Amino acid sequence: MEAYQMIVVNLAKTYPTAARAIAELGHTQSKQVKVAELAPLSEATAGDWYRVSDLRIAEYGDVLVGSYAGEAVAAWLIAGHKQSTEGTVTFQLKPAIEWHQLVGAPSPGGSWKQGQARAVRYIHTDEYRRYQGKPNVNLWRANTWSVAVAHHSRISREPVPVAAFNTPAKIAVSWPHLGPIEVSITDTGILEISVPHGLRTRVTHQPALQPRRSTRRPAK
């Protein structure tokens, strides 16, 4: 196999938009996806990226890998690049069909650290050659599409609202010489206890329920 070097870019800001565009195509099977329909991801990965020198590109500019949430979500071959006067570079890309196994695998070089939203790293591919295989555009396309759809389903998940109580439970009890004690639940699910001034209180929590262990033996 031909030896390659990698440039890995962090798609933390641009991947959610690209994943949404791919998911909204409405395809239900990878065979329905066309390479041209993955253009939003190509554009997000292509750049522009800051301070990537021609020397670095000459040394590492074989494969451009897009990384998101600790995962390689895109793999493209670098077909060319253009430097701008503002110090940024934009790549021309085509599918890296020999690297279809890398899409969905852990990001080369590990997860990004805080403050590396537009970061770039350079990777020697020796330890990642296990992800390189026979060229297969169908697998590359399928993996790229399925990873985008999977991430989009997590990105777009709505937060779970706090359950509201339509009839707030409120009870009042009293003991001799203590006065009334009121217990109520707010509409946001917080338990409030009102006690007479000066009464010492203590809050105890019941132990969490443990999941029941299955006693069923696995089928042989």
Side-chain angles (χ1 to χ4, degrees):
M1 293 183 183
E2 185 178 354
Y4 288 95
Q5 304 300 334
M6 293 181 183
I7 298 176
V8 184
V9 292
N10 186 5
L11 303 183
K13 293 184 177 179
T14 56
Y15 187 69
T17 300
R20 182 176 66 249
I22 293 171
E24 290 179 349
L25 293 171
H27 297 314
T28 58
Q29 300 180 41
S30 61
K31 63 182 180 181
Q32 300 171 325
V33 183
K34 299 177 181 179
V35 171
E37 293 177 318
L38 301 175
L41 181 55
S42 174
E43 294 170 2
T45 315
D48 42 17
W49 302 102
Y50 288 97
R51 293 185 292 276
V52 182
S53 67
D54 289 336
L55 183 62
R56 284 287 199 178
I57 295 172
E59 183 178 0
Y60 290 92
D62 297 317
V63 182
L64 186 66
V65 178
S67 171
Y68 180 80
E71 187 176 345
V73 296
W76 307 89
L77 293 180
I78 298 175
H81 70 280
K82 182 179 180 180
Q83 297 281 4
S84 74
T85 56
E86 289 77 24
T88 63
V89 64
T90 302
F91 294 98
Q92 290 87 50
L93 306 174
K94 61 181 182 179
I97 58 178
E98 292 185 3
W99 292 93
H100 56 82
Q101 298 177 94
L102 182 60
V103 180
S107 175
S111 299
W112 301 93
K113 297 179 182 179
Q114 186 175 2
Q116 294 182 318
R118 293 288 291 176
V120 177
R121 62 168 60 125
Y122 307 93
I123 301 289
H124 292 287
T125 57
D126 292 345
E127 60 182 300
Y128 296 97
R129 292 290 293 274
R130 65 186 183 277
Y131 294 114
Q132 187 180 3
K134 294 181 179 180
N136 192 318
V137 67
N138 293 328
L139 287 177
W140 175 89
R141 185 179 59 209
N143 289 353
T144 303
W145 169 79
S146 61
V147 168
V149 171
H151 273 292
H152 174 66
S153 67
R154 294 190 286 266
I155 295 168
S156 62
R157 187 173 297 167
E158 295 294 333
V160 178
V162 177
F165 289 82
N166 294 326
T167 54
K170 183 175 183 178
I171 60 174
V173 296
S174 62
W175 280 272
H177 313 298
L178 289 182
I181 298 174
E182 296 182 349
V183 180
S184 61
I185 300 178
T186 69
D187 58 1
T188 57
I190 298 176
L191 181 68
E192 290 186 345
I193 303 174
S194 174
V195 300
H197 179 73
L199 183 65
R200 297 177 62 187
T201 61
R202 177 191 302 165
V203 177
T204 60
H205 291 272
Q206 300 175 359
L209 295 177
Q210 299 296 322
R212 296 180 61 183
R213 295 183 178 180
S214 174
T215 57
R216 183 180 298 177
R217 295 181 179 180
K220 296 183 178 180

